[in-house]
Amino acid sequence: MSLDQETFELLKASVQRFVQERLVPAEDLVEERDDIPEDIVADMKELGLYGLSIPEEYGGIGLNMEQECQVAFELGQTALAFRSLVGTNIGIGSQGILMDGTPEQKENYLPRIASGDLVVSFALTEPDAGSDAASLKTRAVADGDDYVITGTKRFITNAPRAGAFTLMARTGGPGAGGISAFIVPAGLPGLTLGKPDKKMGQRGTRTCDVNLDEVRVPAANIIGGEPGKGFKTAMKVLDRGRLHISAIACGMAQRILQESIAYAQQRKQFGQRIGDFQLVQAMLADSQAELLAGWSMVQAVARRYDAKPFGVHDPEVSMQASCTKMFTTEMVGRVADRGVQVHGGSGYISEFKVERFYRDVRLLRLYEGTTQIQQLVIGKHLMR
Ligand code: COS
C-alpha cells in the first residue's frame, strides 16, 4: 500500500501549507485554551489527516510508512497537540484493527476512523502497568456471547474525544498470552472518564483515565475474533507508532532549530549578531548534524518497515524502530535544550516558542515506550 508519488507530493505540499498558514498562527490560542478550536479540527478532517494511514478501500489516503513519516515530519513542526489530535486515528488506535481485525471489524470501523467521524484511542497503560505492559490487570470475563470488562486505563490520549477504544484486557492467565485486544465503543454503561490530566506540556492534548466497571462488550469485538493475541497486536502497533513518533521528533527538532537560527540572526550582543559567535554556531551545528542523523534513520527504517509483509512481526525491524525512537526522541531533547540556551534568558520566557517546545518534547522520551524500554528491546534482540 502506498500513494503514487505525484499525488503524494501534492498532499505533502498542502500539509506544509496548512501547518504554516493555519496551525502555526493558532499555536498561542491552543496553549492558552488548552484545546484545539473546532474549526481547525474540521479543517484537519477535510484535509484527510485522520485517514493518512488507512487504505483507500476504507476511505483513507493509504500512505505507506515512509510517506506517513514524511507527513508526520511536517506535522511535527508545530504545537504537538495538533499531531496528537489525529495521531491515535492514524496510528495506535486504528492499526490494531487494520493489522489483525476481521473483515467485518475493518468494514465497520475503518471508514469512520479514516474520516475522523470516529476518534479512536489506544488503551494499554494502567495505574500499575506501564513499561511492564504484559502485567496489565484489567479483566475481561466471558459471559455468554459477551465479555464483562473491569479495570482502569491511564493517560489515554484523546479519551475525552474518543468514540471507541482499542483496549487491552486480560481474558486468560498471567503474562502476554492472557491478553486480548477489544474494540470498546465509548458510551457503554459502566465506562466513565476520569478528570483531565494536568500535564507538563503539550497543552491542547487531552488525556485522562478510562474507568471500566463491568462494561459488557460482545465477544465479536475481540480484534481478530480470537482471544490471547492482544499483546502481540499491541506490540506491532507500537513498533509502527515508534517510527511515527520518531518522525514527529525530527519535525520538532527542525522547528526548534529554525527558531534558534532566527533568534541568533537578529539578537545582537558585543556589537554583533550572536549567531556570528562560534560558540553559538557550535550549538546550531550540533543540532543540525543530529537532526540529519535522526531523520536519515527514520527514512531508512521506515523503508525497511514497508519492505516486510504488513502487520507481520519482524524482530529486526522492531529492534530498528526502537533504535530510531530512542535516538530521535533523545536527540530532540538535546536540540530543545540548546534552543533554550541559544535564546539565553529569553528562552525561559513563554513568549518565545522554545520555552514551550522544551516542555512539549519531554513526553516523546516517555510515551510509546520510554528510552529505557527501547534499550531493553534492542539489547534483548542483540543477545538472542
Ligand atoms: N511485535 C509482535 N510480537 C512481539 C513484539 C513485537 N514488536 N515484541 C514482543 N512480541 C511477542 C514476543 O515474540 C512474545 O511472543 P511469544 O510468547 O509467542 O514468544 C510475546 O510478545 C511476549 O514478548 P516478551 O516476552 O518480549 O514480552 P515482555 O513482557 O518481556 O515485554 C516489552 C516486552 C518490555 C518490550 C513490552 O512490555 C513493552 O514494549 N513495554 C512498553 C510498553 C509501552 O510502550 N507502553 C506505552 C503505552 S502506549 S503510549
Side-chain angles (χ1 to χ4, degrees), residues 125 131 231-232 235-236 238-239 242 313 318 368-369 380:
T125 300
S131 291
F231 186 79
K232 290 186 184 176
M235 289 299 118
K236 288 190 291 180
L238 284 171
D239 281 344
R242 287 167 186 170
H313 177 212
S318 300
E368 304 205 17
K380 196 167 168 184

Side-chain angles (χ1 to χ4, degrees), residues 92 122 124-125 130-134 155 176-177 231-233 235-236 238-239 242 313-314 318 366-370 373-374 376-377 380:
I92 55 178
F122 181 74
L124 175 66
T125 300
S131 291
D132 185 7
F155 309 142
F231 186 79
K232 290 186 184 176
T233 298
M235 289 299 118
K236 288 190 291 180
L238 284 171
D239 281 344
R242 287 167 186 170
H313 177 212
D314 177 335
S318 300
L366 303 173
Y367 62 6
E368 304 205 17
T370 60
I373 286 297
Q374 311 311 328
L376 289 183
V377 171
K380 196 167 168 184

